[in-house]
Amino acid sequence: MSEFVIDFPTLGDLGEAWIARHCRVPDGFTRGKPMSLADWQFWCHANRYRIRPDAVFVPPERVGPDEPPVMNQAFFYRMTLIVAPQKTGKGPFSASQVAFEACGPSVFAGWAKGGEVYSCADNHCPCGWEDSAERYVYQEGEPLGMRHPSPLIQITANSEDQAANIYRPLTAMIKLGPLRELMAVREGFIRILGMSDQDDFDRIDVVTSSARSRLGNPISDAEQDEVGLYTKQNKMIETADAQARGAAGMGGRTHLTTNAWNPAENSYAQIVYEAGEPDVFIFYRDPDKELRDEDGKPLDYKKPKDRRRIHEYVYEGSWWVNIDSIEALATSLMKRDPAQAERFFGNRLVAGAGTWLESGALWDAKALVDENGLIGQFVVKPRTAVGLGFDGSDSDDFTGIRLETMDQYQFTPTYGPQKRRALWNPAESGGRIPRAEVMQAFHEIASEFEIVRAYLDPPLWETDIDGLSARYGDHVFVKWPTYAVPKMHSALERFHVDITDIDSIFRHDGDPDVATHMRNAVVRTREMDPLTKVRRYILGKPLGQSHQKIDYAMSSTLAHQAVMDALSSGWKPKSSSKARVWR
């Protein structure tokens, strides 16, 4: 597929050939045949084993205090995350990766001069691959591979049933083909043959929430399945973190697979995904980001035609999946749990009923992009007229300032010599919001921009807001309580329309933290309007999920309302120059 371009050094080609030689399809009509990776599986495999161009191999005979083995430092990524719907083949794919980690050439062994042949015999495998017609011949400049000298692998899941997603196809692969010469299924674990005579060494174990005794062991690899179910409450985040430490200590890595998660649960999958760290490879076909209807809006999973398009997109390449069968399952599940259907089969991050924005894609679609489709390529010129929104806390919730130009471009301002974003998480400053820093940010923003109107939620910040009003004018810095239901309901309804209306001019900077708060916000129903008979509401966190913050959504709502009120009161620009410029 054109979306998958391998233009980097990788052990992926060698690995794919090794898997086809040694692994067998575990079930279905092709059971027992050589396993062939689907295009998306090979893409994930190639990136998992992507090698740094500057990697230097230390031969085993030279390894010592002065020359430690390179191990995981040869790889471009320390972790991988695959987000894919049910039945795409995540379990068998992970099983093939476990086999490769256990017995295949999964360790970087230098660079090929060209013409070398990978030898199974030299790596304790008797299959004779090097003497067969399909033997693997290295290309010049390609990374060489060798077996791990002491593999210790953990298959991890929240329960034994989930661990079976990987363990069951792995045992089938062992029994159906050449892997039987390399691994032996024992009671409760799999022994890796050829590298040691000790049962307690070189093995594959299962770790679950109820069987965590092996945590803390140095490991060469961890395959963590359904990480969208790993939460703080079930202690599986603690398990995943412990495995990451154990892998780092042995030069190993961790690899994650999952269905789309419930964003209200703050799972390990969500934490890893939202961190966006450059040394973590993520494969996620997000239909909300890639698919649009004829009007340019995100697809609606409730509509059969849209649902079909979503399924065809997220299951692309998984040739064994019958889309008609998926359609039937999804349609049935939609009747009793639509959010689960969208996550399981539509690969969408859906929190369930009650979310303020029906889909995070609605917010994402309003991010301002340049001619190349890149977000965040604009800055707002100094002295531009803006509206300001502020929602503050003291020690628990977050605090944030959002600005919006009078032509409705919303962005997070920066402050200080390091140009930090005006968004504060108390966990990053000793458990409390740094008030002096927040106030300094206000003064810098007031100096840089022309603040036409600023709406600030007053609880815990009454005195500070009074000081701002005294300095800049009480007609500019205005107390605007977000708990005032009639006002807040009206502001939210207006903002919701401007976000979801494809023709509205509202745009934003794509700040990822603000996007997360927008997705977290749920409707909290209040009294009925006596005139319109419409049930009013405000925003809140998901019930029982205090970690799911919404403060930046509140700041954004107030910034938008400040601009709308300023315009309705007759504000006129002093010049016709554009507010935004290229970076």
Side-chain angles (χ1 to χ4, degrees), residues 530-548:
L531 296 177
T532 64
K533 304 301 180 182
V534 171
R535 180 69 64 178
R536 293 169 173 155
Y537 67 85
I538 57 175
L539 296 186
K541 306 167 190 171
L543 287 174
Q545 305 294 331
S546 61
H547 57 274
Q548 297 291 297

Side-chain angles (χ1 to χ4, degrees), residues 186 189-191 193 196-203:
R186 304 298 192 215
F189 73 98
I190 296 173
R191 185 182 174 197
L193 306 176
S196 170
D197 294 330
Q198 301 295 319
D199 268 3
D200 286 340
F201 302 156
D202 305 341
R203 53 189 282 159

Side-chain angles (χ1 to χ4, degrees), residues 158 162 226-231 234 236 258 261 265 267-269:
N158 191 35
Q162 287 163 357
E226 288 305 336
V227 290
L229 301 177
Y230 293 16
T231 64
N234 62 27
M236 287 302 292
T258 188
W261 55 89
E265 294 178 351
S267 67
Y268 189 58

Side-chain angles (χ1 to χ4, degrees), residues 243-257:
Q243 286 184 321
R245 292 192 298 271
M250 194 175 173
R253 298 182 294 159
T254 57
H255 305 282
L256 293 58
T257 54

Side-chain angles (χ1 to χ4, degrees), residues 30-267:
T30 58
R31 183 178 185 179
K33 293 184 178 181
M35 183 171 180
S36 177
L37 299 181
D39 53 5
W40 69 266
Q41 291 174 331
F42 176 68
W43 173 247
C44 295
H45 177 72
N47 277 279
R48 172 170 173 158
Y49 292 101
R50 180 176 178 177
I51 302 296
R52 297 178 182 276
D54 59 351
V56 177
F57 174 60
V58 179
E61 63 272 14
R62 283 182 17 212
V63 170
D66 296 330
E67 290 189 273
V70 63
M71 303 303 286
N72 58 6
Q73 292 304 300
F75 295 103
F76 195 86
Y77 296 110
R78 65 176 173 83
M79 178 186 289
T80 62
L81 169 63
I82 296 174
V83 185
Q86 287 194 339
K87 311 305 180 186
T88 45
K90 297 191 297 296
F93 171 69
S94 293
S96 74
Q97 303 303 284
V98 171
F100 185 62
E101 285 281 346
C103 310
S106 60
V107 175
F108 173 67
W111 300 96
K113 295 179 180 179
E116 298 96 328
V117 176
Y118 175 76
S119 172
C120 271
D122 291 344
N123 286 276
H124 306 279
C125 173
C127 77
W129 187 24
E130 62 273 19
D131 297 323
S132 66
E134 69 269 21
R135 65 182 184 168
Y136 190 84
V137 181
Y138 289 102
Q139 302 297 311
E140 182 181 357
E142 184 178 358
L144 301 167
M146 61 181 288
R147 276 187 73 168
H148 196 289
S150 56
L152 183 57
I153 299 169
Q154 292 179 346
I155 294 173
T156 313
N158 191 35
S159 67
E160 289 187 7
D161 286 344
Q162 287 163 357
N165 290 340
I166 299 174
Y167 196 81
R168 184 194 60 77
L170 178 60
T171 58
M173 288 178 183
I174 294 171
K175 296 174 181 178
L176 290 169
L179 288 180
R180 69 169 71 95
E181 302 292 334
L182 298 171
M183 290 185 279
V185 181
R186 304 298 192 215
E187 185 66 32
F189 73 98
I190 296 173
R191 185 182 174 197
I192 302 169
L193 306 176
M195 304 302 287
S196 170
D197 294 330
Q198 301 295 319
D199 268 3
D200 286 340
F201 302 156
D202 305 341
R203 53 189 282 159
I204 300 167
D205 292 301
V206 172
V207 174
T208 67
S209 59
S210 60
R212 306 164 72 224
S213 60
R214 292 189 177 274
L215 280 183
N217 288 352
I219 56 175
S220 60
D221 175 61
E223 301 292 326
Q224 299 169 346
D225 190 49
E226 288 305 336
V227 290
L229 301 177
Y230 293 16
T231 64
K232 183 178 181 180
Q233 289 75 15
N234 62 27
K235 298 186 178 180
M236 287 302 292
I237 290 180
E238 178 184 330
T239 296
D241 286 340
Q243 286 184 321
R245 292 192 298 271
M250 194 175 173
R253 298 182 294 159
T254 57
H255 305 282
L256 293 58
T257 54
T258 188
N259 296 130
W261 55 89
N262 183 343
E265 294 178 351
N266 201 34
S267 67

